[in-house]
Amino acid sequence: METQPQANTPPPPSESELLQVRRDKLQKMKDKGVAPFGGKFETTHEPGTLRASFENTLPVKLGGRVLSRRIQGKAGFFDIGDFTGKIQCYMNKKEVGDEAFELFTDLVDMGDWVGVEGETFTTKMGEPTVNVKAITVLSKSLRPLPDKWHGLTDREQKYRQRYLDLISNENSRQVFVTRSQMIAEIRRFLQDRQFLEVETPMMQDVAGGAAARPFETFHNALNMPLYLRIAPELFLKRLLVGGFTRIFELNRNFRNEGISRRHNPEFTMLEAYWAFADFEQMADLVEGLICHLAEKFCGGLLIEHKNEAGEVTRTINLQRPWKRVAYRDLIRAVDPGWFELTPEARKTRAAELGVEIGPNFEDYEVTQHVFEKLVEEKQFDPMFVTHCPKELVPLAKQNAADDSVVDVYELVINGQEISPGYSELNDPIIQRQRLEEQAGEEIQKIDEDFITALEFGMPPAGGIGIGIDRLIMMLTGAESIRDVVLFPQLKRKAE
RNA sequence: GCGCGGGUAGCUCAGCGGUAGAGCAGUUGGCUUUUAACCAAUUGGCCGUGGGUUCGAUCCCCACCCCGCGUACCA
C-alpha cells in the first residue's frame, strides 16, 4: 500500500463550525459593547414559580436559560427556565426597538442565560407569557444544547455531564428537586420530634459499624492511615453515652465494593438513635416517616413506577399497618422443613431452590442467601422482617426468649433493603464477644474506644438506618441509584 | 471477573461489504400571538481506539477503552 502524499493529509483539527459560530457571536457582542458574561441582576421571580402562580399585567424581572426560540419576523417567542421550571417570553421589535430585538435574534442563542424585564400577559393560545421590554445577556453559551425535544438520552453522558441532563430532561430535574425536598422534610420530621442533628467523623481510625471494605487514605501530618467511614453508628452511640438521647445524622457513607444498579461507592445514610426506645418503636417511627413523605410528595400511599412509555410497571402499596414477620417464618414459608435439615443438607436444598451457594459459606449465610433471593427480591410492598439471626447483626440486642436471634427489623420495600432498625446492644461485655466473633482473625478491626464508651454506660436505645438513595428510588420510581445521585461514580474515560 | 447489548453529525436515531443518511440544532432568506412554530435553501462525520481479512470495511474477525443490563466476588 502506498503512503499518502503529505499534501493530502487533512488540516489540523479545528473547532467545529457550531462552536465557531458561537465564538463569533461572542465577539460581536463585545464589539457592540454588550457584556457577554453579565453580573448582578436583581430579580422579582423565578421562571417556574412565576408560571405556577401567574397573574396578568404583573411587572416582573427574572433570569433564566433560553431553552427554545420561535422567531417570526418582527416578533418572537422564547422560553427561559431554571430548576423551578420555565416560562414563555415574548419580544416585539416595535416595542423594544431595533437594537434590542436584533441582539436577541442575531446574537442570543438557545442555551444563553438572559435576564428579562417586562410585564406579564396571556397569549391567545392561553400561554402565560412575559412581554419583554428589556433583555440583558447574563452568560453567553459557547456550546449547543442537547436536542430540545428528545433531551439527552445517552446514559453515560447524562451521568458524566449531569448539567446537560438537568437542563434538557424535565423528569431528571424533577427527581433531584424532589430528592432535595424529601431530605429537608426528613430533617424537619425528626427535628419536630426533638431529635438533634449531629456530625461525626467521616475519616476514622477504625472503620466500624458495618461489614464492608473501607476506602483507605493517609494523613500526612499525623503520619497515620485513615479510613472513610462505612457507617457513623459507633460514633453516634458514643453520643448516647454522652447523654445525647435523641440524635440523628444524615450524610454520606463510603464502601469500597462493587458498583451496581443498587450500589454507589458513596451513598447517603440516615441513622437515628432514640434512648429508651426499642426496635418496635423505631419501626413505627420509620413507617410514619415514609408514609409522611409519600403523602407529601407522591400524592398518596400508592406509589406507581412507570416505564419510559409511561405505562405503570409496578404499584407499591404503603398503606398501614405494614407487615411484620419473623425472619425464620419467612424462610419456613419457602421451605417448612428448612431448620430441621443439617447444615450440609441446607446447602443441597438451597441449590434445589435455585439459589447459588458459595463453597465456603457459613450455615447462616446459606439461609441468608435463600432469604435474599426468594423473599427479599420478591417483596415489593413494605414488610418488616424481624428477629434475624444474631450473626447477621452484631450490634443489636439478643432476644430475651431466644438468644440466637436479635431484636431487630429489616425493612424491605421494592425488592431491596431500605432500612434496618435495632434494639441497640448496650452490654459492653457481650458487645465485645459479638464483635470478636464477627472479626475472627481481623481482631484489630475492633474499635476499642467504642467498647470503653459502652463501659461508661449507654442507655438502652432504638436505632435505625435508612438508605436515602434507595428510599428516593422507591418513592420516585427510579430503576437505578445513578438516577437519584447527581454525580454517580464512573470510570475515568481516557481522552 | 464472566455473559449479553450498545458506542455513526452538537443532540435523537437509521444504515451493517461497494462514493456516509434523516429529524432537531446551526447558517441564509421569508414571516408581528407562536409553542416539537411554519415555508424555502444550505453547512456539518478519524462511523469508540488499535490491529487484521478483503480489490474495497461504519459493516466481517481479534484485542482494547467506555456505558448499560445480568451474574459472581467483596459479605
Side-chain angles (χ1 to χ4, degrees), chain A residues 179-196:
Chain A
R179 176 183 174 125
S180 176
Q181 292 171 342
M182 283 181 175
I183 288 175
E185 190 61 28
I186 291 168
R187 287 199 158 95
R188 199 172 301 129
F189 184 93
L190 290 168
Q191 284 159 355
D192 285 350
R193 286 160 181 74
Q194 285 70 54
F195 283 78
L196 187 72

Side-chain angles (χ1 to χ4, degrees), chain A residues 328-348:
Chain A
R328 284 182 179 157
D329 290 341
L330 291 164
I331 298 289
R332 286 192 191 98
V334 171
D335 180 353
W338 180 262
F339 293 106
E340 278 64 60
L341 299 171
T342 63
E344 269 313 306
R346 274 197 275 271
K347 286 191 180 183
T348 310

Side-chain angles (χ1 to χ4, degrees), chain A residues 261-262 305 414 416 468-482 484:
Chain A
R261 211 159 57 83
R262 298 178 193 78
H305 290 190
N414 199 24
Q416 52 187 338
I468 297 297
D469 310 282
R470 290 179 178 183
L471 177 67
I472 308 279
M473 286 171 69
M474 187 273 289
L475 290 173
T476 62
E479 288 187 10
S480 169
I481 195 168
R482 297 179 198 98
V484 300

Side-chain angles (χ1 to χ4, degrees), chain A residues 151-162:
Chain A
L152 189 64
T153 64
D154 182 75
R155 309 274 293 204
E156 185 174 358
Q157 207 173 347
K158 277 165 68 91
Y159 302 148
R160 288 190 195 278
Q161 295 180 280
R162 181 68 84 182

Side-chain angles (χ1 to χ4, degrees), chain A residues 31-59:
Chain A
D31 294 345
K32 295 180 92 164
V34 174
F37 294 105
K40 179 178 167 185
F41 186 79
E42 285 183 11
T43 62
T44 61
H45 294 79
E46 285 83 47
T49 47
L50 174 62
R51 192 175 192 282
S53 55
F54 190 81
E55 292 174 47
N56 282 321
T57 68
L58 201 62

Side-chain angles (χ1 to χ4, degrees), chain A residues 305-361:
Chain A
H305 290 190
K306 295 174 182 169
N307 63 15
E308 286 175 7
E311 298 153 343
V312 175
T313 53
R314 176 173 298 154
T315 300
I316 295 176
N317 184 352
L318 298 179
Q319 278 163 342
R320 300 175 78 170
W322 295 353
K323 276 199 289 183
R324 301 187 185 193
V325 188
Y327 182 88
R328 284 182 179 157
D329 290 341
L330 291 164
I331 298 289
R332 286 192 191 98
V334 171
D335 180 353
W338 180 262
F339 293 106
E340 278 64 60
L341 299 171
T342 63
E344 269 313 306
R346 274 197 275 271
K347 286 191 180 183
T348 310
R349 182 76 185 116
E352 286 169 13
L353 291 167
V355 177
E356 286 185 54
I357 297 300
N360 300 321
F361 275 22

